[in-house]
Amino acid sequence: MAHKLIRSKPQVAANPRVSSGGKIPGGSSAKQPGAKKSNGPAHKHSAWHAMFSNMACRAAHYAGHPLAFLTAVLLVLIWALTGPLFNYSDTWQLVINTSTTIVTFLMVFLIQHTQNRDTLAVQLKLAELIMAATEAENRLATAEDLSEEELEELHKDFQRRAEELDRLKQHRARLKHAS
């Protein structure tokens, strides 16, 4: 029996801004449901961005496929086997050096884009979980937008709270063991 994937529209809180300087989860470029669409250059930018994003995701998907690896191995083998035919000339060596440099250069941008996209998706999911937890601190939902100093301050605060909690647990264990 086939299962259908039911997608529902994400629910947005009445005030999506949380206590991190008024930033919206997902950064300043996050699209808001009621936001006005611009007809100017920003709209063209978003169309280009969407096209690049789709192309980058497809390219990264294909590049991660075993067939892509086997194709690369095959190309390297063909190159290596043609070495004697070209007397291992400088041009023969330049072909593989240039090819690998170009492919590596382009893949860096594709991989970085897909990693940024994945990281943003994880951050949004974590933000949703933090905001859904009743006793969680909503300011942590957008911790990725905090400055390095603010992150260090938060880290020290949580470290202090963890140590206090450990001391409290040890004290409770001693009281339980004593009685």
Side-chain angles (χ1 to χ4, degrees):
M1 180 160 106
H3 295 281
K4 286 188 175 181
L5 177 64
I6 300 173
R7 294 183 183 197
S8 62
K9 290 185 178 180
Q11 295 180 357
V12 179
N15 183 3
R17 297 179 188 273
V18 291
S19 61
S20 67
K23 294 187 179 179
I24 297 171
S28 61
S29 65
K31 294 181 182 177
Q32 294 301 312
K36 294 180 184 177
K37 290 186 179 180
S38 170
N39 293 332
H43 181 28
K44 289 180 181 179
H45 173 73
S46 66
W48 159 246
H49 190 271
M51 184 179 73
F52 174 76
S53 182
N54 289 335
M55 185 270 310
C57 289
R58 280 194 307 268
H61 174 75
Y62 292 128
H65 197 273
L67 189 57
F69 176 76
L70 292 175
T71 303
V73 169
L74 181 65
L75 288 173
V76 170
L77 285 175
I78 290 170
W79 170 81
L81 293 173
T82 60
L85 182 67
F86 293 102
N87 295 323
Y88 302 101
S89 68
D90 289 343
T91 304
W92 174 80
Q93 292 177 29
L94 190 61
V95 166
I96 197 72
N97 289 339
T98 305
S99 301
T100 56
T101 301
I102 290 170
V103 169
T104 302
F105 179 74
L106 295 175
M107 288 305 292
V108 164
F109 294 102
L110 293 177
I111 292 169
Q112 186 62 52
H113 175 77
T114 55
Q115 184 177 2
N116 289 348
R117 182 181 163 103
D118 290 346
T119 300
L120 180 59
V122 169
Q123 292 298 330
L124 290 172
K125 291 173 185 179
L126 288 172
E128 175 68 17
L129 290 173
I130 290 168
M131 290 186 290
T134 57
E135 294 183 22
E137 293 186 38
N138 284 347
R139 66 185 174 139
L140 296 178
T142 56
E144 68 276 5
D145 294 330
L146 298 176
S147 69
E148 191 70 31
E149 294 80 24
E150 291 170 319
L151 287 172
E152 285 293 327
E153 191 177 307
L154 264 177
H155 181 261
K156 289 177 184 173
D157 182 44
F158 278 100
Q159 190 175 27
R160 179 188 52 76
R161 289 167 58 185
E163 289 170 358
E164 287 176 8
L165 188 59
D166 283 344
R167 283 194 294 270
L168 181 61
K169 285 182 181 179
Q170 289 173 358
H171 180 69
R172 287 179 180 165
R174 282 192 297 259
L175 289 176
K176 187 176 180 181
H177 183 67
S179 59

